[in-house]
Amino acid sequence: MNEHWLQRKFSPNATRIQDHRSPFQRDRARILHSAAFRRLQAKTQVMGVGVSDFYRTRLTHSLEAAQIGSGISAQLRNKHSELAETLFPTDDSLIEAICLAHDIGHPPFGHGGEVALNFMMHKHGGFEGNGQTFRIVSKLEPYTEQYGMDLTRRTLLGFLKYPQTIEHLQSSYPEKLPNNYRQLKAGDWHPPKGVYDDDLDMLHWVLEPLSSHDKELFQSSLARDNNHKKTRYKSLDCSIMELADDIAYGVHDMEDAIVTGVVSEHLFVEYVAKPMAEIDDIWVQENYTSITENLFSQQHHLQKDAIGSLVNYLITSISLVDLNETQGCDFDEDLLRYNAKLSKAPAKVLGLLKDFVYRFVIKQTDIQRLEYKGQQIVMELFEAFASDPQRLLPDSTRRRWQKAVDEGLNPNRVIADYLSGMTDEFATRVYNNLFIANASGVNEKHCV
């Protein structure tokens, strides 16, 4: 592996005495011990946090994604042994690190919080969960004073699901703003997926080893009808993380919905099992019936066997593809040239599972109402903090806000950073403290 991918922005050669860990093992440790990672335990995944102790949170989802990511890496090293030495570290620390932290930029209340912050920030650079993740690991988390966790360049590259700035990708928003926050339609204010202009310096540093041609191609985007533009390419490590994330979402979040009775066997048969029966794949044809029966069995070991079978089927169906051959690209850098990809039939299966979760779980009225409530909380908190930051922000955030003002930077970004770092429960308590007459006070140290 080229040494430039192992470099760190702040301490390129620093190691502790008798520290025999690899650079990626150190990256993983910094993520696991960060406050941003711990806060995932109280952030919504699909079901609302606090509704049940069974539902997955962002934290348990991220742990499962990391385990799946390491399984994918093991498969790829075995299938493509001729490329393993060039493309893969000797252990799974790199992929585990990226998967563990891939969601730490997501705000409280899921996509409701993301829409809320993007609306409040649409004239100040926007807000987007993946961009916030990159910002946390590269700037905000206080492992160093200025460079966040000071992770290796290759690990940071793995977080760039959309390696372009929001300003470059953004389409127009509605000209007429809602009269009040309760009238805000979430569908009108979904953000483009990218990095903030405020973090351009770190984006440039991560992409520095690439040739001008690779950089331009990697950051290229496609226009989509009546929507924001979207970047076209991801790095190898990012493609593995995205597959691990999708499998964890499509399979394990579906498991939550089935076990807790949110979805019925009838719906699953109609929208998953029957379409699976039409897929031309030996494993699918032999197993879709038993998978369905076991998922809805009252015997939990049969449910777990079905989940394990689905995950194994998907992981073992992933291979490396050469984008230079399959898509006519001409990348020089191997980390951009190769991506992990599901073969056609398993990709259809995963698509059915993800669509099922989206349609019958995420879009469920009760969950949408929770998102809507969170959306209102976040917008009102932002408005309050922006109205009098010196009075209402906690000490450390107030100092960052004043520093941004003094240096001619974006002080509203500091408010968005503070709000996005809140857990669902903490944001609710701060809201109650500000707006509910008989609410008790909040200890701000919980979220500094």
Side-chain angles (χ1 to χ4, degrees), residues 184-202:
L184 184 77
K185 291 185 178 179
D188 292 338
W189 293 95
H190 285 297
K193 297 179 181 297
V195 177
Y196 308 137
D197 273 12
D198 299 299
D199 302 321
L200 257 178
D201 55 337
M202 284 306 300

Side-chain angles (χ1 to χ4, degrees), residues 194-262:
V195 177
Y196 308 137
D197 273 12
D198 299 299
D199 302 321
L200 257 178
D201 55 337
M202 284 306 300
L203 178 63
H204 289 327
W205 182 80
V206 173
L207 302 184
E208 192 176 279
L210 302 177
S211 66
S212 297
H213 168 76
D214 274 9
K215 204 177 298 183
E216 182 179 355
L217 183 58
F218 184 51
Q219 293 190 278
S220 62
S221 57
L222 291 171
R224 297 185 296 170
D225 293 341
N226 302 317
N227 212 325
H228 307 296
K229 290 189 285 186
K230 189 175 182 180
T231 54
R232 302 166 63 194
Y233 301 109
K234 296 173 174 61
S235 69
L236 168 63
D237 303 320
C238 187
S239 71
I240 295 173
M241 176 269 284
E242 189 168 46
L243 283 170
D245 185 24
D246 284 351
I247 292 171
Y249 164 76
V251 178
H252 291 302
D253 290 341
M254 177 194 66
E255 179 188 10
D256 274 3
I258 291 172
V259 174
T260 55
V262 172

Side-chain angles (χ1 to χ4, degrees), residues 18 32 35 39-40 60 66 69 71 117 123 136 204 210 229 246 258 276 341-342 346 358 365 374 403:
Q18 296 185 342
L32 279 168
R39 289 191 187 110
L40 293 176
T60 53
L117 284 173
K123 292 184 178 179
I136 288 170
H204 289 327
L210 302 177
K229 290 189 285 186
D246 284 351
I258 291 172
M276 280 179 68
K341 187 176 180 180
L342 270 171
Y358 180 78
T365 301
K403 182 180 180 182

